[in-house]
Amino acid sequence: MKLLFTIGFLDINWLDVVDVLLVTILLYQLYKVLTGSVALKIFVGFLSIYLLYLVVKALGMELLTIILGQFMGVGVLAAIILFQQEIRRFLLMIGKTTAFDNDKFFKGFPWRKNDNGNRLNLTPFIEAAKSLAGKNTGALIVFALSSELKFYAESGDLIDAAISKRLLLSIFNKTSPLHDGAVIIADGRIKAARCILPVSDNKEIPASMGLRHRAAIGLTEVTDSVVLVVSEETGQISLVRNGQVFRNLAAADLRSRLNHFLFDIEPKVHAEKSVSAA
């Protein structure tokens, strides 16, 4: 390997530079996952103990080295138990950003050319959203893309029904036992209702956004799905994608954004982008 430069007794080459950059990226991603939660303080505590272990080992303090060594021996298992939620979020974030995300890798092949022929009819969703917004009735509709979101669908009631405006209005009617939760749309059908979504712990979300918006942001932070939200307080219609909220959408804006997010058709109008979870 070609030598770049020397610092004291250290010989630095290209591989060392790449190694440092990759570790920096990894630590930054870990920081993004842990920031704003108590897990960050636990991680700092673990790191402090590990640094103390290295110091006492280098100084030859045998008793303390043995004690801390036993602790470090079970450190990996303890970290998995304590950080299971953060580890899951980190792995989902990595999987979401791979080259195979949203099935884009295969879109250029001939057998994928006719996908738009079976394109989801957006009219029932737009008409239902307009009706619900007019009555200040809250709604949460998830459009699954590369994943059917089976885990989240199973948290609610499985329906597997044809899509219609009347059915959507019935589900989100305030007297319906299915209205409290999200509806998941996959493979051109209503897969499930009353589904529980992960709530985002992003500290930058405005206080004006309620639990529905936080759930929509939380799901889109860890999946490539698109979520339609109707606010019960204001009647505003929003779309959420990749942790970003597009608020106060009119019917034309909603159709344009859905075409763009679901079918890669460039939008003709632009809505107000409210918050980013990055």
Side-chain angles (χ1 to χ4, degrees), residues 23-201:
V23 170
T24 303
I25 293 171
L26 178 63
L27 291 176
Y28 174 69
Q29 295 298 331
L30 280 173
Y31 174 77
K32 284 177 62 179
V33 170
L34 298 175
T35 189
S37 68
V38 69
L40 182 60
K41 295 181 180 179
I42 298 174
F43 177 74
V44 171
F46 265 107
L47 187 60
S48 301
I49 293 174
Y50 179 66
L51 292 176
L52 178 61
Y53 168 72
L54 294 179
V55 171
V56 298
K57 185 178 179 181
L59 293 175
M61 302 170 67
E62 295 184 5
L63 184 58
L64 200 52
T65 300
I66 293 172
I67 295 172
L68 292 178
Q70 293 296 322
F71 181 82
M72 298 308 301
V74 296
V76 175
L77 182 60
I80 292 174
I81 295 172
L82 290 172
F83 299 117
Q84 55 180 320
Q85 203 61 24
E86 285 72 20
I87 291 172
R88 183 173 177 273
R89 286 175 56 195
F90 181 65
L91 294 176
L92 282 169
M93 183 174 62
I94 292 175
K96 184 182 173 183
T97 55
T98 59
F100 295 94
D101 178 42
N102 200 19
D103 210 17
K104 292 176 182 177
F105 180 79
F106 300 103
K107 284 187 177 178
F109 289 93
W111 59 82
R112 297 301 302 274
K113 294 298 183 182
N114 296 324
D115 277 359
N116 288 341
N118 299 320
R119 200 160 66 193
L120 183 68
N121 182 14
L122 300 179
T123 300
F125 302 104
I126 295 168
E127 293 299 320
K130 285 168 57 181
S131 297
L132 293 167
K135 300 174 183 178
N136 276 43
T137 300
L140 199 57
I141 302 175
V142 178
F143 298 91
L145 294 179
S146 64
S147 168
E148 292 184 2
L149 306 177
K150 187 176 180 181
F151 173 79
Y152 300 106
E154 290 176 347
S155 69
D157 296 321
L158 298 177
I159 296 178
D160 194 25
I163 297 167
S164 72
K165 173 186 174 182
R166 287 192 293 272
L167 181 53
L168 291 169
L169 292 177
S170 298
I171 290 173
F172 289 112
N173 187 295
K174 293 180 180 180
T175 61
S176 168
L178 298 177
H179 83 282
D180 191 16
V183 162
I184 293 180
I185 309 298
D187 295 330
R189 296 179 68 82
I190 300 177
K191 287 295 182 182
R194 206 175 61 87
C195 300
I196 300 172
L197 305 184
V199 178
S200 175
D201 57 2

Side-chain angles (χ1 to χ4, degrees), residues 243-256:
Q244 296 178 333
V245 183
F246 299 84
R247 305 178 70 182
N248 198 20
L249 295 166
D253 300 314
L254 180 60
R255 184 181 294 275
S256 181

Side-chain angles (χ1 to χ4, degrees), residues 140 209-218 229 231 238 240 245 247:
L140 199 57
M209 291 189 183
L211 196 58
R212 283 189 179 88
H213 288 90
R214 283 188 172 273
I217 294 170
V229 185
S231 172
S238 306
V240 186
V245 183
R247 305 178 70 182

